[in-house]
Amino acid sequence: MDFTFTEDQLAFREAISRFLMTEAPPETLREIWETEDGRSPEMRRKMAEQGLTALSVPEAQGGLGMDDVAWSLLTQELGYYAIADSMADTAYVATGLLTALPESTDLRDELLARIVDGDVRIAVGHPVNPLVADVHLADVVLQAHQDEIHALKREHVSFERNPSIDSSRRLSRVSFQPSDATRLVGAEQGSAIWDQTLNRGALAVAGQSLGLAQRMLDLSVDYAVQRKQFGKAIGSFQAVKHKLADVAGKIEFAKPVLYRAAHALANNEPTAALNVSHAKLACCEAAWVAARHGIQVHGAMGYTWEVDLQMFMKRAWALDSSWGDRAFHTSRVAEAVLAADAPIGPHHSFGATHA
Amino acid sequence: MQLTYTDKQTAFRAEARAWLEANVPSKPLASYDTREGFEEHRAWERKLYDSRWSMVMWPEHLGGRGCDLIEWLIFEEEYYAVNAPMRVNQNGQLLLGPTLMEFGTEAQKQHFLPRIASSEDMWAQGWSEPNAGSDMAAIRSKAVRDGDHYVVSGQKTWSTRASFADWTFGLFRSEPNSQRHHGLTYLMVPLNSPGVTIRPIKALNGKEAFAEIFFDEVRVPVENRIGAEGQGWNVAMATAGFERGLLLRSPARFQHTAKRLIELFKANPEVAARDPGLRDAVVESWMGAQAYAYSSYHTVGLVQKGGKVGAEASVNKIVWSELDLKMHETAMRILGARGELRGSAPEAVDGGSWLEGFLFAQAGPIYAGTNEIQRNIIAERMLGLPKA
Ligand SMILES: Cc1cc2nc3c(=O)[nH]c(=O)nc-3n(C[C@H](O)[C@H](O)[C@H](O)COP(=O)(O)OP(=O)(O)OC[C@H]3O[C@@H](n4cnc5c(N)ncnc54)[C@H](O)[C@@H]3O)c2cc1C
């Protein structure tokens, strides 16, 4: 029993964090998000060069084979630096989906190799998301049709853009003509893969939300130390302190829930769906509380476009209902916990790993 | 990350389970906030001790098993799963014990620790005074040095189970004009000393859950001092850290309550139909208890790799106390009109245990340092916000 990370896992997180700190400062993100596409090929290329896209591709396909547990750290960094959806979707969610396909599936190894090289963006059209992120720039769209999985070039889908309050989000309604040529696998095989993809997507959002929460807390603490009223830093006032302490508490207690879920997913534990939904709810809640208290602590500045808080706050609001909204995940938890034979109580923190 | 138990841990769990199942009293003991119940609990503690289950993490020469923190978590899981009695000597076992191990003299350790493990000595905490609650550094009770004794005078209050305990430990001002946390000395005082008067205070449930302790020129031998004279504050802070941190409230306790809450909810489907919000409250309770358990295992992992628990202990304290409240409030909503019934009422559900738990949960955000004080600590020490 060891509920901690390896030195390697922590070092990877650290490296990604240092890289994004220089490459993705808020000023740069603002410029990128103001463009029509909202995406920067150059930033994208740098991230691929850093090996970010190759991290979860299996070693057999030339990647590093990092599992969900490592990604529960890495997605927090993607969240902290508000990296656009296509990165998590390509490097983690789609990679997982492709890896789960039978080895003989057309395109599987080709796409995995291109992900390692960093020259492909993949959008994932899961039925749980009414709109698909980043289709407008995707090279390939992995799209559900009932439970079948189809792979489409962007030219073969039609999409209508739906602007979001979060400038980093680029959402589209997708329609396409399914055919034998586009089908990767049929419904029978596809169904389990879509289930697992949903869990990966939700876990990626959970990790990013936690990263966003931490970023908003850090921004708010900095602001509270600098901003003076009544001749003192506002951070010395207890009403302000207690709000920020509550954010810290929410973050602190969402983390291990995220890690527990990542472990369950990586090991195909029977409780994985329950653990993932729990993580999604806990992390998104932390992000919402961080946003609510963050805007309050920033006063009128918090209501402006000018202050960076808004970039992270809006993303937190938006991600809350992506990859399954609260109602969806709460129901999944309720169903599992209230089931007649649910494994609940003090013996069941870690599934049926002991007698 | 490796979340399966080792064979050794699994064997330990089986051993603990077998012993507990064979030995846990078949009828619940009387409340330890009564003299009779207190003695019943002491007898249970003695039974645990005789089979070395009282302090599983203590070394074998002190009657423990030298368990590590993971094994302690496992033991607690088994303990709560069989509804074993609440531990009556937590003050001695979880607070004073570790304090003595860190700051006590050899002689103190040898004398007191085994007696704590066996509950031969039961301990009360004596920190709070009428005008020193949240502001503990305002302590005024005095300890005046007189040769190889301190002469102690003053008053402590809110001292849990002091009506029945044998000893108290606490801070006393040993330098007459010292301010705040300077000049305080940490002493252990036998409650049967001449000059000690105990006045019980009834808690919400009508029982003598705590007491005031009056000291009138009580002579306390110098060898009952922990740490140096005037340096008691630092020692006391360590004790407070134990209280808020990992050990005081093991996650199994809340997981067990969450499980009972789920059972209560399922047994009362008609209430759920009238109040749809209840389902979410029950589910949130389970999630909170689970998160607390994961967090404990995570922290234990970090501690085993050499990490230290700092201001995070304050986050912990807020979380378990608010979770406990939430769970009991939810139970009261499910019970509806039956919630107010005392255990003696013929129609009380579960022997009135939800009501008892609900009343006690009200104290969680107050004792061990109020949650407001914990939020101050988090803001200043974890987030680095400036002092007022
Ligand atoms: C069941 C129970 C058992 C206890 N057992 C013991 C025991 O065994 N030994 C012992 O010594 N004590 C014990 N206590 C006492 C407990 O530690 C104190 O009640 C606690 O420290 C608060 O002190 P107080 O009651 O004097 O409240 P006060 O300090 O008067 O506080 C009243 C209110 O004001 C708030 N407040 C005070 N100062 C601040 C501040 N700076 N910022 C924000 N809010 C503030 C508090 O949070 C609280 O809400 C126990 C209490 C309870 C309820």
Side-chain angles (χ1 to χ4, degrees), chain A residues 92-116:
Chain A
Y92 177 58
V93 182
T95 302
L97 188 161
L98 291 166
T99 308
L101 292 170
E103 279 177 35
S104 58
T105 316
D106 286 349
L107 279 180
R108 174 187 186 266
D109 287 0
E110 183 198 323
L111 283 176
L112 286 172
R114 288 179 63 196
I115 290 173
V116 172

Short mmCIF file of all heavy atoms in Angstrom, two decimals, chain A residues 92-116:
data_model
loop_
_atom_site.label_atom_id
_atom_site.label_comp_id
_atom_site.label_asym_id
_atom_site.label_seq_id
_atom_site.Cartn_x
_atom_site.Cartn_y
_atom_site.Cartn_z
N TYR A 92 -4.13 12.52 -24.31
CA TYR A 92 -4.57 11.61 -23.24
C TYR A 92 -5.85 10.86 -23.63
O TYR A 92 -5.86 9.63 -23.68
CB TYR A 92 -4.76 12.42 -21.95
CG TYR A 92 -5.27 11.61 -20.79
CD1 TYR A 92 -4.59 10.50 -20.32
CD2 TYR A 92 -6.46 11.97 -20.14
CE1 TYR A 92 -5.07 9.76 -19.25
CE2 TYR A 92 -6.94 11.24 -19.06
CZ TYR A 92 -6.24 10.14 -18.63
OH TYR A 92 -6.71 9.41 -17.57
N VAL A 93 -6.90 11.61 -23.96
CA VAL A 93 -8.19 10.94 -24.16
C VAL A 93 -8.20 10.11 -25.45
O VAL A 93 -8.49 8.91 -25.44
CB VAL A 93 -9.35 11.97 -24.17
CG1 VAL A 93 -10.68 11.26 -24.32
CG2 VAL A 93 -9.33 12.80 -22.89
N ALA A 94 -7.86 10.75 -26.57
CA ALA A 94 -7.87 10.03 -27.84
C ALA A 94 -6.82 8.92 -27.84
O ALA A 94 -7.03 7.83 -28.39
CB ALA A 94 -7.63 10.98 -28.99
N THR A 95 -5.69 9.20 -27.23
CA THR A 95 -4.63 8.20 -27.18
C THR A 95 -5.13 6.95 -26.45
O THR A 95 -4.89 5.82 -26.89
CB THR A 95 -3.39 8.77 -26.47
OG1 THR A 95 -2.98 9.93 -27.18
CG2 THR A 95 -2.27 7.77 -26.44
N GLY A 96 -5.85 7.17 -25.37
CA GLY A 96 -6.42 6.04 -24.65
C GLY A 96 -7.42 5.29 -25.50
O GLY A 96 -7.44 4.05 -25.52
N LEU A 97 -8.23 6.03 -26.22
CA LEU A 97 -9.24 5.40 -27.06
C LEU A 97 -8.58 4.54 -28.14
O LEU A 97 -8.91 3.37 -28.33
CB LEU A 97 -10.11 6.49 -27.71
CG LEU A 97 -11.35 6.07 -28.50
CD1 LEU A 97 -12.31 7.25 -28.64
CD2 LEU A 97 -11.04 5.54 -29.88
N LEU A 98 -7.58 5.13 -28.81
CA LEU A 98 -6.90 4.40 -29.89
C LEU A 98 -6.20 3.16 -29.34
O LEU A 98 -6.24 2.08 -29.94
CB LEU A 98 -5.89 5.32 -30.57
CG LEU A 98 -6.51 6.46 -31.40
CD1 LEU A 98 -5.46 7.51 -31.76
CD2 LEU A 98 -7.18 5.91 -32.66
N THR A 99 -5.57 3.31 -28.19
CA THR A 99 -4.85 2.18 -27.61
C THR A 99 -5.80 1.04 -27.28
O THR A 99 -5.43 -0.13 -27.33
CB THR A 99 -4.11 2.64 -26.34
OG1 THR A 99 -3.33 3.79 -26.67
CG2 THR A 99 -3.20 1.56 -25.81
N ALA A 100 -7.03 1.39 -26.93
CA ALA A 100 -8.00 0.36 -26.55
C ALA A 100 -8.57 -0.38 -27.75
O ALA A 100 -9.21 -1.43 -27.59
CB ALA A 100 -9.13 1.00 -25.74
N LEU A 101 -8.36 0.14 -28.94
CA LEU A 101 -8.89 -0.53 -30.14
C LEU A 101 -8.12 -1.83 -30.38
O LEU A 101 -6.95 -1.94 -30.01
CB LEU A 101 -8.73 0.37 -31.36
CG LEU A 101 -9.58 1.65 -31.40
CD1 LEU A 101 -9.12 2.55 -32.54
CD2 LEU A 101 -11.06 1.30 -31.55
N PRO A 102 -8.78 -2.81 -31.01
CA PRO A 102 -8.05 -4.02 -31.36
C PRO A 102 -6.83 -3.66 -32.22
O PRO A 102 -6.90 -2.71 -33.03
CB PRO A 102 -9.06 -4.82 -32.17
CG PRO A 102 -10.39 -4.25 -31.83
CD PRO A 102 -10.17 -2.83 -31.44
N GLU A 103 -5.74 -4.38 -32.02
CA GLU A 103 -4.49 -4.02 -32.71
C GLU A 103 -4.64 -4.00 -34.22
O GLU A 103 -3.92 -3.30 -34.93
CB GLU A 103 -3.37 -4.96 -32.30
CG GLU A 103 -2.77 -4.55 -30.97
CD GLU A 103 -1.70 -5.52 -30.50
OE1 GLU A 103 -0.97 -6.06 -31.35
OE2 GLU A 103 -1.60 -5.72 -29.27
N SER A 104 -5.56 -4.82 -34.71
CA SER A 104 -5.69 -4.93 -36.16
C SER A 104 -6.46 -3.76 -36.78
O SER A 104 -6.55 -3.65 -37.99
CB SER A 104 -6.44 -6.22 -36.49
OG SER A 104 -7.70 -6.18 -35.83
N THR A 105 -7.00 -2.88 -35.92
CA THR A 105 -7.84 -1.81 -36.46
C THR A 105 -7.05 -0.89 -37.40
O THR A 105 -5.95 -0.45 -37.04
CB THR A 105 -8.42 -0.95 -35.31
OG1 THR A 105 -8.87 -1.82 -34.29
CG2 THR A 105 -9.56 -0.08 -35.80
N ASP A 106 -7.65 -0.62 -38.56
CA ASP A 106 -7.02 0.33 -39.49
C ASP A 106 -6.76 1.65 -38.76
O ASP A 106 -7.55 2.05 -37.92
CB ASP A 106 -7.97 0.64 -40.66
CG ASP A 106 -8.03 -0.53 -41.62
OD1 ASP A 106 -7.20 -1.45 -41.48
OD2 ASP A 106 -8.93 -0.52 -42.48
N LEU A 107 -5.72 2.30 -39.11
CA LEU A 107 -5.42 3.65 -38.62
C LEU A 107 -4.86 3.69 -37.19
O LEU A 107 -4.24 4.67 -36.80
CB LEU A 107 -6.67 4.56 -38.63
CG LEU A 107 -7.06 5.21 -39.94
CD1 LEU A 107 -8.32 6.06 -39.71
CD2 LEU A 107 -5.95 6.08 -40.49
N ARG A 108 -5.12 2.63 -36.40
CA ARG A 108 -4.75 2.70 -34.99
C ARG A 108 -3.28 3.06 -34.81
O ARG A 108 -2.93 4.09 -34.22
CB ARG A 108 -5.05 1.36 -34.32
CG ARG A 108 -4.58 1.23 -32.87
CD ARG A 108 -4.79 -0.20 -32.39
NE ARG A 108 -4.50 -0.40 -30.99
CZ ARG A 108 -3.33 -0.80 -30.51
NH1 ARG A 108 -2.32 -1.02 -31.33
NH2 ARG A 108 -3.17 -1.00 -29.22
N ASP A 109 -2.40 2.21 -35.37
CA ASP A 109 -0.98 2.44 -35.13
C ASP A 109 -0.48 3.67 -35.87
O ASP A 109 0.40 4.38 -35.38
CB ASP A 109 -0.18 1.19 -35.51
CG ASP A 109 -0.40 0.09 -34.47
OD1 ASP A 109 -1.16 0.35 -33.51
OD2 ASP A 109 0.17 -0.99 -34.61
N GLU A 110 -1.09 3.91 -37.01
CA GLU A 110 -0.68 5.09 -37.77
C GLU A 110 -0.95 6.36 -36.95
O GLU A 110 -0.09 7.24 -36.82
CB GLU A 110 -1.45 5.13 -39.10
CG GLU A 110 -1.05 6.28 -39.99
CD GLU A 110 -2.11 6.55 -41.07
OE1 GLU A 110 -2.70 5.56 -41.58
OE2 GLU A 110 -2.36 7.72 -41.35
N LEU A 111 -2.16 6.42 -36.39
CA LEU A 111 -2.50 7.62 -35.61
C LEU A 111 -1.65 7.73 -34.36
O LEU A 111 -1.19 8.82 -34.00
CB LEU A 111 -3.99 7.61 -35.26
CG LEU A 111 -4.94 8.02 -36.39
CD1 LEU A 111 -6.39 7.89 -35.94
CD2 LEU A 111 -4.66 9.44 -36.87
N LEU A 112 -1.43 6.59 -33.69
CA LEU A 112 -0.60 6.65 -32.48
C LEU A 112 0.81 7.16 -32.82
O LEU A 112 1.37 7.97 -32.08
CB LEU A 112 -0.54 5.27 -31.80
CG LEU A 112 -1.82 4.85 -31.07
CD1 LEU A 112 -1.73 3.40 -30.60
CD2 LEU A 112 -2.11 5.76 -29.87
N ALA A 113 1.34 6.71 -33.94
CA ALA A 113 2.68 7.17 -34.34
C ALA A 113 2.66 8.67 -34.63
O ALA A 113 3.58 9.40 -34.26
CB ALA A 113 3.15 6.40 -35.58
N ARG A 114 1.60 9.12 -35.27
CA ARG A 114 1.53 10.56 -35.57
C ARG A 114 1.35 11.38 -34.29
O ARG A 114 1.81 12.53 -34.21
CB ARG A 114 0.39 10.84 -36.56
CG ARG A 114 0.73 10.34 -37.97
CD ARG A 114 -0.42 10.60 -38.93
NE ARG A 114 -0.69 12.03 -39.10
CZ ARG A 114 -1.83 12.50 -39.63
NH1 ARG A 114 -2.78 11.66 -40.05
NH2 ARG A 114 -2.00 13.80 -39.77
N ILE A 115 0.67 10.80 -33.31
CA ILE A 115 0.53 11.51 -32.02
C ILE A 115 1.91 11.67 -31.37
O ILE A 115 2.26 12.74 -30.88
CB ILE A 115 -0.43 10.75 -31.07
CG1 ILE A 115 -1.86 10.85 -31.60
CG2 ILE A 115 -0.36 11.33 -29.65
CD1 ILE A 115 -2.87 10.00 -30.84
N VAL A 116 2.71 10.60 -31.43
CA VAL A 116 4.07 10.69 -30.89
C VAL A 116 4.83 11.80 -31.60
O VAL A 116 5.48 12.63 -30.97
CB VAL A 116 4.81 9.35 -31.05
CG1 VAL A 116 6.28 9.50 -30.68
CG2 VAL A 116 4.15 8.28 -30.18
#
